[in-house]
Amino acid sequence: MKEENVLATTMRSYSCGDLDITYLGEEIVICGWVYRKRDLGHLIFINLRDRYGSVQLIFDPQVNPSMHSAAQTITPESSLRVMGKVRARKSEAVNIKMKSGEIEIEVLNFDILSLSKPLPFLLSGEDEDVNQNVRMTYRYLEIRRGRGILHNLLVRHAVIRRIRKYLDDRHFLEIETPILTKSTPEGARDYLVPSRIHKSLFYALPQSPQLFKQLLMISGIDRYYQIAKCFRDEDLRADRQPEFTQLDLEMSYVDREDILQLVEGMVEDLFSVILDIKVERPFLRMNYKDAIEQYGTDKPDMRFDLQFFRLDTALCRSKFSIFQGLEHEMCIKGIKIVGGGHLSRKFLEECNQRAAHLGLRHLFWVKVLADGFTQGISKFFSVEEERIVRMIMDAQNGDLLLFAAQEEKIVNRSLNYIRHFLAEKLQLIAHNLWKFVWILDFPLFEEVEEKNGKRKISSMHHPFTAPLKEDEIFLEHHPLQVRSAAYDIVLNGHEIGGGSIRVNNRTIQDKIFSLLNFSPERIDQNFGFFSHALEFGTPPHGGIAVGLDRLIMLMTQSSSIRDVIAFPKTQSAVDLMMSAPSSVSIEQLSELGLKIDN
Amino acid sequence: MKEENVLATTMRSYSCGDLDITYLGEEIVICGWVYRKRDLGHLIFINLRDRYGSVQLIFDPQVNPSMHSAAQTITPESSLRVMGKVRARKSEAVNIKMKSGEIEIEVLNFDILSLSKPLPFLLSGEDEDVNQNVRMTYRYLEIRRGRGILHNLLVRHAVIRRIRKYLDDRHFLEIETPILTKSTPEGARDYLVPSRIHKSLFYALPQSPQLFKQLLMISGIDRYYQIAKCFRDEDLRADRQPEFTQLDLEMSYVDREDILQLVEGMVEDLFSVILDIKVERPFLRMNYKDAIEQYGTDKPDMRFDLQFFRLDTALCRSKFSIFQGLEHEMCIKGIKIVGGGHLSRKFLEECNQRAAHLGLRHLFWVKVLADGFTQGISKFFSVEEERIVRMIMDAQNGDLLLFAAQEEKIVNRSLNYIRHFLAEKLQLIAHNLWKFVWILDFPLFEEVEEKNGKRKISSMHHPFTAPLKEDEIFLEHHPLQVRSAAYDIVLNGHEIGGGSIRVNNRTIQDKIFSLLNFSPERIDQNFGFFSHALEFGTPPHGGIAVGLDRLIMLMTQSSSIRDVIAFPKTQSAVDLMMSAPSSVSIEQLSELGLKIDN
């Protein structure tokens, strides 16, 4: 039995995607766009398309000469309403790849609902050379093409729907938090919104609903989530958007393990239902310190190996001048390419050049033979050093070893880059592999350099992150040693989410503010109400925010988050379709009590 | 068998709401707030509460003296973690109104997770005198009280979830449209957002996703919806918020009837599932013209009668000077109060006073007896006039008739007010009655007076509303006569939504812009891209936006939309909890290229 036809409207009896051989002989009304048109002189064929599918129309002058002649005026992408009869295609014309491939519609009558003028680029066929800016300007046509973006929007809908179901089933409440909120000069920059009623005062758009979700825990909501729009006015890096969407959630009476299990279960469910992929559980876990040590990054791609080996001690007495007398913050690390002994000098020189772009003075190498190192810098290794390095790196005959010795940050950054470069060039990444890893035990604080060159202490995540219980005693005198109850979830080298257990105690919260060198006035002005709220029986709580744009980008194997957003902005935060931002009138500004100040 | 216990965490084995007599004898761990505490000297009772319910703790010095003595320090609203054993209450202590009323928890051990300092107002008990501003400042405590607002947030969650299901089942795609968009100086005012990257240019927050949803139809999405945040920077009327939430939806290849049926089905489903109420279908329908004529408003409350009767013709030759020689735009209307003959002069004078506040010079009346009118202005009626008025108004012995004669707008406004006043005072509104009515055939345009006293033509809804097909011919020469394909849905006198079939044809769209006297530059700057988009085969489409805050306010029988929003703003658009809007630093402004201009 056919399902209830929910796509029928007063204008159509079916969608183009409904029709197949089971409708044979039926008189139907369908609407859609002219996708492909072939005028064979005696017959006109049109492929009519809507979101749900496409179907072939046939205009036969023998059957209906007036329809055939009217069809000649139809342009590509015009919108049609077609009354016709479903008939079987001739056997040689059957297209088994299409749902409607066994049928065609004999057109009895049709209306041109809207005739399209010539298009800025072809919607059928490839036409892949079209400038990206033209595609952004005509975003609505780019979506109508129906391949990449429409598919991504369908997946996005399904992903968000499934996440909601998972959380609803666990008693999470979806609650909307304000968009017009208060500016808190923390981290990346706020978008400001001038108030007209209260001149010279401003709202700010939220970078995240952090304080609100914590207040909801204080409110007794117990479990909250939101598919939340967030905003960040920063110089846009490679693949960021000024407004982005995160799954924001928070739970009371939990510790870290509860959040990790919840998220793992959610991701497992999502990948199973949406992609029919079984992800491995439990997810890998790695300390922040180990991640930096072994992969040079806190978002290691675990789909391939190529981890780093620390060689400071092994090579501290090297006769190679570069390895000698390591200064403070200097280190030596190596990477082993199993079976890489065949790699050419040219390739290794390319690696060296690329590492140089990231500040590495030189990427050294040796090849491993059964009886010792050869080529590269092999001559600098003593027998003893060779033995130790071989052991540490478990190097075998035929392997290649790479070495970097410089300031630790540069070593990490450049080897991380080289690691990915190698993985790609040597095709070490198995297709359709999904490797999740939790990064744990981040430092609570980090030292950062200010514009004036001074170093200051700053929150690694945000000031509401709780220290690990066992590290609380170091807060006073060794704050940089304190680890936090923060966690990031990393998928295939992309950070897709992060969260923490929060401070639920005013004394510790105030201590953190003071370590961050916030003035009492600033604390009072920005966070006073919140410190105050902590004192009314705040339950232990924690949560996470998952970047949905990036997650869906990965799930759809898109190359940019722009491809999973209906109306994205460019890298310079411009909406090319609407031309936003744009100038406004002097009157509008004067109503706001503002003046342009160039 | 018990369901899977999804509320258990590492900190609790159950929620307070889980426990009942079936857990007898079990050792449990629960967390929650100290709601009520009674110290009877020999025994301490604490009512421990979380979002899901509450349960009684008992501290017995005979059983556990140290716990009993520790319990003495606990303050109201402190957050506790309690290990205890479920035991039966003594039969005289059973409270059959509570799920946990047959049990109590013998406390074996407990932690104070967070001790509460004294509260600004009591959360238990009534304490209803607390100033509204104090409640807004401590919104998180107001929510934790767990009566009104928490309940409303639960209903809100359920309503939105159900709406999504209804639309998902019908192949609607939920798509997020941008918040940082373009200022279009239409209707109420935009919130502006200065761009830092592009100094002196501004984004605007959307008043609705109108253009985006139409562009999605041009994109081939076919069916779209969004639970959309919208923004309006206007002087706030009685019950408005600067940011509000609407269900925004749009469909292709539809006419008005499709949208009406879709929404009726959705509302029917919602009221049945959420409130267990069966709403009558089809909904009432009324032309805009009739609504204004008979009820003086385009949002008539249909729970009671009291409609207006037009009496211009019947009374045009009246000897009562007020009724004589009606000028242009003047009219006479009457309301009949069935059985209202007993109403006192004092009450009628109060009606008169109230109508006077709305500009009515006098509200006249007569009482109806079997043999004629009496009292009030009865002496001015000729026998003939009396007969006709009786007939028009179907007046019977014992009824009371009210009359207003003045400029039509004032008559409508004041009689509309009086109609509601009477319904309330005379208790004509049956409890728990839900009367939906569609208002149809609005004028496409209205004449409005500008600040300079000039009259200009303006869109009654917005410039993208299609004229009725049969009225298109009047566009050129009689635009004020053109009716639109717009519709509003009204529930119990509140407009809860509105929409229309849209223009899908550039010629008509440009004609409307020109009738609105938009300059070609302005059209080009604000809507150019959109007019252009209409030319690429735009399908016929239409949609609606439903105000969710108001709908949920009505469904929860709340008195203000503030009560269905977690963190609302005051009437002057201030967030009292966070103190937003607030001042920002000179540096922040200078980065934006702005200066305060007082």
Side-chain angles (χ1 to χ4, degrees):
Chain A
M1 216 185 77
K2 284 172 193 166
E3 287 174 34
E4 189 203 353
N5 181 10
V6 292
L7 290 173
T9 67
T10 49
M11 294 190 74
R12 68 184 177 205
S13 59
Y14 297 103
S15 80
C16 297
D18 286 327
L19 301 179
D20 62 21
I21 194 74
T22 63
Y23 293 81
L24 207 63
E26 201 172 319
E27 285 200 8
I28 51 96
V29 189
I30 53 176
C31 297
W33 283 283
V34 175
Y35 189 51
R36 283 199 179 85
K37 180 179 168 187
R38 282 174 302 146
D39 192 340
L40 306 183
H42 58 296
L43 287 175
I44 295 175
F45 292 97
I46 283 179
N47 211 277
L48 196 74
R49 191 182 90 270
D50 63 16
R51 184 182 119 198
Y52 313 97
S54 70
V55 67
Q56 180 164 287
L57 311 178
I58 182 162
F59 299 79
D60 186 340
Q62 310 282 8
V63 176
N64 194 330
S66 67
M67 283 302 113
H68 178 267
S69 107
Q72 286 170 326
T73 62
I74 301 172
T75 54
E77 292 306 317
S78 291
S79 173
L80 303 188
R81 179 165 186 253
V82 175
M83 289 126 277
K85 198 165 170 178
V86 180
R87 69 183 203 193
R89 291 197 196 185
K90 290 194 188 121
S91 61
E92 67 271 24
V94 165
N95 178 348
I96 55 161
K97 286 187 198 154
M98 285 172 74
K99 183 183 177 193
S100 68
E102 295 171 275
I103 56 161
E104 59 195 8
I105 308 299
E106 183 190 321
V107 177
L108 304 174
N109 203 348
F110 75 93
D111 298 323
I112 300 178
L113 297 170
S114 177
L115 195 69
S116 178
K117 68 177 180 185
L119 299 157
F121 50 86
L122 282 179
L123 270 62
S124 61
E126 291 309 316
D127 210 357
E128 297 297 350
D129 291 340
V130 181
N131 181 296
Q132 191 59 37
N133 285 357
V134 174
R135 292 186 191 281
M136 293 280 273
T137 306
Y138 296 94
R139 184 71 172 178
Y140 45 89
L141 294 178
E142 180 74 1
I143 298 174
R144 201 198 286 173
R145 287 164 68 93
R147 271 161 292 178
I149 297 167
L150 177 61
H151 168 77
N152 295 348
L153 294 175
L154 286 159
V155 172
R156 186 179 183 112
H157 176 85
V159 165
I160 291 177
R161 187 178 171 186
R162 190 71 197 176
I163 288 175
R164 287 203 175 98
K165 177 174 164 37
Y166 182 85
L167 295 172
D168 290 349
D169 286 349
R170 284 157 183 79
H171 297 285
F172 282 78
L173 272 188
E174 187 168 21
I175 294 180
E176 299 162 57
T177 57
I179 299 290
L180 293 172
T181 172
K182 186 188 173 94
S183 181
T184 57
E186 250 317 289
R189 300 179 216 208
D190 289 332
Y191 279 104
L192 297 182
V193 182
S195 162
R196 189 170 55 84
I197 304 178
H198 306 281
K199 286 198 182 44
S200 84
L201 300 186
F202 294 78
Y203 303 98
L205 305 184
Q207 291 179 35
S208 95
Q210 185 62 35
L211 288 181
F212 288 112
K213 67 176 174 174
Q214 294 194 239
L215 287 161
L216 286 172
M217 295 306 102
I218 300 175
S219 301
I221 293 300
D222 200 68
R223 298 180 170 204
Y224 141 91
Y225 77 97
Q226 185 179 194
I227 307 298
K229 266 287 172 81
C230 304
F231 304 85
R232 220 172 280 164
D233 187 9
E234 58 190 348
D235 301 311
L236 297 170
R237 280 183 263 158
D239 205 15
R240 289 270 181 106
Q241 287 281 312
E243 56 181 298
F244 53 98
T245 304
Q246 66 186 36
L247 164 64
D248 192 55
L249 68 85
E250 197 80 5
M251 298 172 84
S252 288
Y253 303 117
V254 292
D255 73 10
R256 184 176 83 181
E257 201 55 34
D258 293 297
I259 308 284
L260 267 47
Q261 292 306 327
L262 178 89
V263 173
E264 289 193 13
M266 184 179 80
V267 169
E268 180 182 39
D269 176 70
L270 214 49
F271 274 69
S272 155
V273 170
I274 308 291
L275 300 179
D276 196 23
I277 285 171
K278 190 163 165 40
V279 300
E280 269 172 61
R281 279 185 73 183
F283 292 177
L284 296 172
R285 295 181 182 202
M286 196 181 292
N287 288 333
Y288 172 81
K289 223 172 136 183
D290 294 341
I292 298 293
E293 182 63 21
Q294 293 167 21
Y295 299 96
T297 173
D298 58 2
K299 18 184 196 288
D301 189 335
M302 303 304 287
R303 287 176 298 175
F304 54 95
D305 190 359
L306 295 179
Q307 72 166 72
F308 308 167
F309 296 92
R310 164 80 65 161
L311 302 170
D312 300 7
T313 311
L315 299 176
C316 63
R317 294 159 155 250
S318 169
K319 57 189 174 189
F320 187 36
S321 63
I322 306 285
F323 290 173
Q324 283 162 10
L326 286 178
E327 283 164 43
H328 182 59
E329 295 192 341
M330 298 282 282
C331 78
I332 309 174
K333 289 189 181 182
I335 296 183
K336 173 181 69 180
I337 307 168
V338 173
H342 67 281
L343 292 171
S344 67
R345 277 173 193 272
K346 192 175 155 219
F347 177 77
L348 293 169
E349 182 50 31
E350 188 182 349
C351 292
N352 181 45
Q353 289 297 333
R354 286 175 177 263
H357 282 297
L358 293 159
L360 190 71
R361 280 190 294 268
H362 205 89
L363 184 69
F364 304 103
W365 56 272
V366 301
K367 293 186 176 179
V368 183
L369 299 177
D371 56 354
F373 291 175
T374 181
Q375 300 181 30
I377 56 166
S378 58
K379 64 176 174 191
F380 296 108
F381 284 79
S382 70
V383 174
E384 177 67 5
E385 284 164 350
E386 203 179 291
R387 198 183 58 80
I388 298 179
V389 169
R390 264 186 115 110
M391 207 173 62
I392 293 175
M393 299 180 76
D394 188 25
Q396 306 292 337
N397 184 16
D399 292 349
L400 183 98
L401 308 182
L402 300 176
F403 305 101
Q406 206 165 318
E407 194 191 330
E408 183 154 6
K409 277 198 175 162
I410 293 172
V411 168
N412 284 338
R413 191 169 64 194
S414 52
L415 286 191
N416 174 39
Y417 177 85
I418 290 300
R419 184 175 172 263
H420 283 89
F421 178 71
L422 291 171
E424 199 189 307
K425 285 290 174 186
L426 307 178
Q427 296 179 306
L428 304 179
I429 303 174
H431 180 68
N432 225 354
L433 201 57
W434 304 88
K435 283 287 187 185
F436 292 91
V437 53
W438 286 109
I439 308 299
L440 304 173
D441 297 346
F442 285 85
L444 186 59
F445 301 108
E446 59 185 341
E447 253 191 332
V448 293
E449 201 160 308
E450 288 189 286
K451 276 182 194 160
N452 57 19
K454 277 191 192 160
R455 297 178 79 80
K456 69 160 189 176
I457 203 172
S458 167
S459 290
M460 193 125 182
H461 283 80
H462 54 59
F464 312 105
T465 308
L468 287 184
K469 265 270 166 289
E470 60 265 40
D471 287 6
E472 273 179 19
I473 45 163
F474 302 121
L475 261 184
E476 186 68 41
H477 297 297
H478 305 284
L480 287 169
Q481 283 180 29
V482 175
R483 289 165 305 165
S484 74
Y487 30 81
D488 277 1
I489 178 167
V490 173
L491 169 56
N492 293 354
H494 297 266
E495 180 201 322
I496 57 169
S500 61
I501 300 302
R502 325 299 183 182
V503 177
N504 78 322
N505 165 317
R506 174 158 192 174
T507 313
I508 293 180
Q509 188 66 71
D510 285 351
K511 181 76 215 159
I512 290 174
F513 287 147
S514 91
L515 285 166
L516 291 170
N517 230 340
F518 292 176
S519 69
E521 298 75 44
R522 178 165 165 199
I523 296 174
D524 189 52
Q525 217 187 336
N526 287 323
F527 308 114
F529 81 98
F530 184 72
S531 291
H532 199 47
L534 286 176
E535 294 187 284
F536 296 112
T538 298
H541 62 288
I544 196 166
V546 175
L548 286 181
D549 304 310
R550 176 138 296 122
L551 176 63
I552 296 160
M553 179 192 92
L554 293 170
M555 290 180 73
T556 56
Q557 308 196 297
S558 302
S559 55
S560 162
I561 58 169
R562 282 202 298 268
D563 295 341
V564 302
I565 297 170
F567 299 108
K569 295 190 175 56
T570 65
Q571 212 161 312
S572 63
V574 167
D575 181 330
L576 286 175
M577 182 182 69
M578 296 203 132
S579 313
S582 61
S583 58
V584 298
S585 66
I586 306 270
E587 293 77 34
Q588 267 177 295
L589 285 182
S590 113
E591 282 232 326
L592 296 170
L594 288 179
K595 225 161 63 181
I596 305 270
D597 176 33
N598 286 320
Chain B
M1 218 184 75
K2 283 171 193 165
E3 286 173 35
E4 190 203 351
N5 181 11
V6 293
L7 290 173
T9 67
T10 48
M11 294 189 73
R12 68 184 177 205
S13 59
Y14 298 102
S15 80
C16 298
D18 286 326
L19 301 179
D20 61 21
I21 193 74
T22 64
Y23 293 80
L24 206 63
E26 201 171 320
E27 286 201 7
I28 52 98
V29 189
I30 53 176
C31 297
W33 283 282
V34 175
Y35 189 52
R36 282 198 181 85
K37 178 179 169 187
R38 282 173 303 146
D39 191 339
L40 305 183
H42 58 296
L43 287 176
I44 295 175
F45 293 98
I46 283 179
N47 211 277
L48 195 73
R49 191 181 92 268
D50 63 18
R51 183 184 120 198
Y52 313 97
S54 70
V55 67
Q56 180 164 285
L57 311 177
I58 182 161
F59 298 80
D60 186 339
Q62 311 281 7
V63 176
N64 195 329
S66 67
M67 285 300 112
H68 177 266
S69 105
Q72 287 171 325
T73 63
I74 300 173
T75 54
E77 293 306 318
S78 291
S79 174
L80 303 187
R81 177 164 186 253
V82 175
M83 288 125 278
K85 198 166 170 179
V86 179
R87 68 183 205 193
R89 292 196 195 186
K90 292 195 186 119
S91 60
E92 66 270 25
V94 165
N95 179 349
I96 54 160
K97 286 187 198 153
M98 284 172 74
K99 183 184 177 193
S100 68
E102 293 171 274
I103 57 162
E104 58 195 8
I105 309 298
E106 182 190 321
V107 177
L108 304 174
N109 203 348
F110 75 92
D111 300 320
I112 300 178
L113 298 171
S114 175
L115 195 70
S116 178
K117 68 178 181 186
L119 300 156
F121 50 85
L122 281 180
L123 269 63
S124 61
E126 291 308 316
D127 209 357
E128 298 297 351
D129 292 340
V130 181
N131 179 298
Q132 190 61 36
N133 286 355
V134 173
R135 291 186 191 281
M136 293 281 273
T137 305
Y138 297 94
R139 184 70 172 180
Y140 46 90
L141 295 177
E142 181 73 2
I143 298 173
R144 201 198 287 173
R145 286 163 68 94
R147 270 160 294 177
I149 297 167
L150 177 61
H151 168 77
N152 295 347
L153 293 176
L154 285 160
V155 172
R156 185 178 183 113
H157 175 85
V159 165
I160 291 177
R161 187 179 170 184
R162 190 72 197 174
I163 288 175
R164 286 204 176 99
K165 179 177 163 36
Y166 182 86
L167 295 172
D168 290 347
D169 286 349
R170 283 155 184 81
H171 297 286
F172 282 77
L173 272 189
E174 187 167 22
I175 294 180
E176 299 162 57
T177 57
I179 299 289
L180 293 173
T181 172
K182 186 190 173 96
S183 182
T184 58
E186 250 317 290
R189 301 181 215 207
D190 289 332
Y191 278 105
L192 296 182
V193 183
S195 162
R196 188 171 55 85
I197 305 180
H198 306 281
K199 287 200 180 42
S200 83
L201 301 185
F202 294 78
Y203 303 97
L205 305 183
Q207 292 179 36
S208 95
Q210 184 63 34
L211 287 181
F212 289 111
K213 68 176 172 174
Q214 293 194 240
L215 287 162
L216 285 172
M217 295 305 104
I218 300 176
S219 302
I221 293 299
D222 201 67
R223 297 179 170 204
Y224 141 92
Y225 77 98
Q226 187 179 194
I227 308 299
K229 265 288 172 78
C230 304
F231 304 86
R232 220 173 279 165
D233 186 10
E234 59 190 347
D235 301 311
L236 298 169
R237 280 182 263 159
D239 204 14
R240 288 270 182 105
Q241 287 281 313
E243 56 182 300
F244 54 98
T245 304
Q246 65 185 35
L247 164 64
D248 192 56
L249 69 84
E250 197 80 6
M251 299 171 83
S252 288
Y253 303 115
V254 292
D255 73 10
R256 184 175 84 180
E257 200 56 34
D258 292 295
I259 307 282
L260 267 47
Q261 291 306 327
L262 178 88
V263 173
E264 289 193 13
M266 184 179 79
V267 168
E268 181 182 40
D269 176 69
L270 214 48
F271 274 69
S272 154
V273 170
I274 308 291
L275 300 178
D276 197 23
I277 285 170
K278 191 166 163 39
V279 301
E280 270 173 62
R281 281 185 71 184
F283 292 177
L284 296 171
R285 296 181 183 202
M286 196 181 289
N287 289 333
Y288 172 82
K289 222 172 140 181
D290 293 343
I292 298 294
E293 181 64 21
Q294 294 167 22
Y295 300 94
T297 174
D298 57 2
K299 21 184 193 287
D301 189 336
M302 304 304 288
R303 288 176 296 175
F304 54 95
D305 190 359
L306 294 179
Q307 71 165 75
F308 308 167
F309 297 92
R310 164 81 63 162
L311 300 171
D312 300 7
T313 311
L315 298 175
C316 65
R317 292 158 157 252
S318 169
K319 57 189 175 189
F320 186 36
S321 63
I322 306 287
F323 290 173
Q324 282 163 11
L326 286 178
E327 285 165 40
H328 182 59
E329 295 192 341
M330 298 282 283
C331 78
I332 310 174
K333 290 187 179 183
I335 295 183
K336 173 182 68 176
I337 307 168
V338 173
H342 67 281
L343 292 171
S344 68
R345 278 174 191 271
K346 193 179 151 216
F347 177 77
L348 293 169
E349 184 48 29
E350 189 183 349
C351 292
N352 182 45
Q353 290 297 333
R354 287 176 174 263
H357 282 297
L358 293 160
L360 191 71
R361 280 189 294 270
H362 205 90
L363 183 69
F364 304 104
W365 56 272
V366 301
K367 293 187 175 180
V368 184
L369 297 178
D371 57 354
F373 291 173
T374 183
Q375 302 180 29
I377 57 166
S378 58
K379 64 176 175 192
F380 297 109
F381 284 79
S382 70
V383 174
E384 177 67 5
E385 285 165 351
E386 203 179 291
R387 199 183 56 79
I388 296 180
V389 168
R390 265 187 113 111
M391 205 172 62
I392 292 174
M393 300 181 74
D394 187 25
Q396 307 292 336
N397 184 15
D399 294 348
L400 182 98
L401 307 182
L402 301 175
F403 305 100
Q406 205 165 318
E407 193 191 332
E408 183 153 5
K409 277 199 175 160
I410 293 172
V411 167
N412 283 337
R413 192 170 62 195
S414 53
L415 286 191
N416 174 38
Y417 177 86
I418 290 299
R419 183 174 172 266
H420 283 89
F421 179 72
L422 290 171
E424 197 190 309
K425 285 289 172 185
L426 307 178
Q427 298 179 304
L428 302 180
I429 303 175
H431 179 69
N432 225 351
L433 200 57
W434 305 87
K435 283 286 188 186
F436 293 90
V437 53
W438 287 108
I439 308 299
L440 304 173
D441 297 345
F442 285 85
L444 186 59
F445 301 108
E446 60 185 340
E447 255 191 331
V448 293
E449 200 160 309
E450 289 189 286
K451 277 181 192 157
N452 57 18
K454 277 190 190 160
R455 297 178 78 81
K456 69 159 188 176
I457 202 172
S458 166
S459 289
M460 193 122 179
H461 284 79
H462 55 60
F464 312 104
T465 308
L468 288 183
K469 265 272 165 291
E470 60 266 39
D471 286 6
E472 271 179 20
I473 46 163
F474 303 121
L475 261 183
E476 185 68 40
H477 298 296
H478 306 285
L480 286 168
Q481 283 180 30
V482 175
R483 289 165 306 164
S484 75
Y487 30 82
D488 278 359
I489 177 166
V490 172
L491 168 57
N492 293 354
H494 297 266
E495 181 202 322
I496 56 168
S500 61
I501 299 301
R502 326 297 182 182
V503 176
N504 77 323
N505 166 316
R506 173 157 192 173
T507 313
I508 293 180
Q509 189 64 70
D510 284 351
K511 181 78 215 158
I512 289 173
F513 287 147
S514 90
L515 285 165
L516 291 169
N517 229 340
F518 291 177
S519 69
E521 297 75 44
R522 179 167 165 199
I523 295 174
D524 189 51
Q525 216 185 338
N526 288 324
F527 308 114
F529 80 99
F530 183 72
S531 291
H532 198 46
L534 286 176
E535 294 185 284
F536 296 111
T538 299
H541 62 286
I544 196 166
V546 175
L548 285 181
D549 304 309
R550 178 139 295 122
L551 176 63
I552 296 161
M553 177 193 94
L554 293 169
M555 289 180 74
T556 56
Q557 308 198 298
S558 302
S559 55
S560 162
I561 59 169
R562 282 202 298 268
D563 295 341
V564 302
I565 296 172
F567 300 108
K569 295 189 175 59
T570 65
Q571 213 162 310
S572 63
V574 168
D575 180 331
L576 287 174
M577 183 182 69
M578 296 204 131
S579 311
S582 61
S583 58
V584 297
S585 67
I586 307 268
E587 292 76 37
Q588 267 177 295
L589 286 181
S590 112
E591 282 233 324
L592 296 170
L594 289 178
K595 226 162 61 181
I596 306 273
D597 176 34
N598 286 318

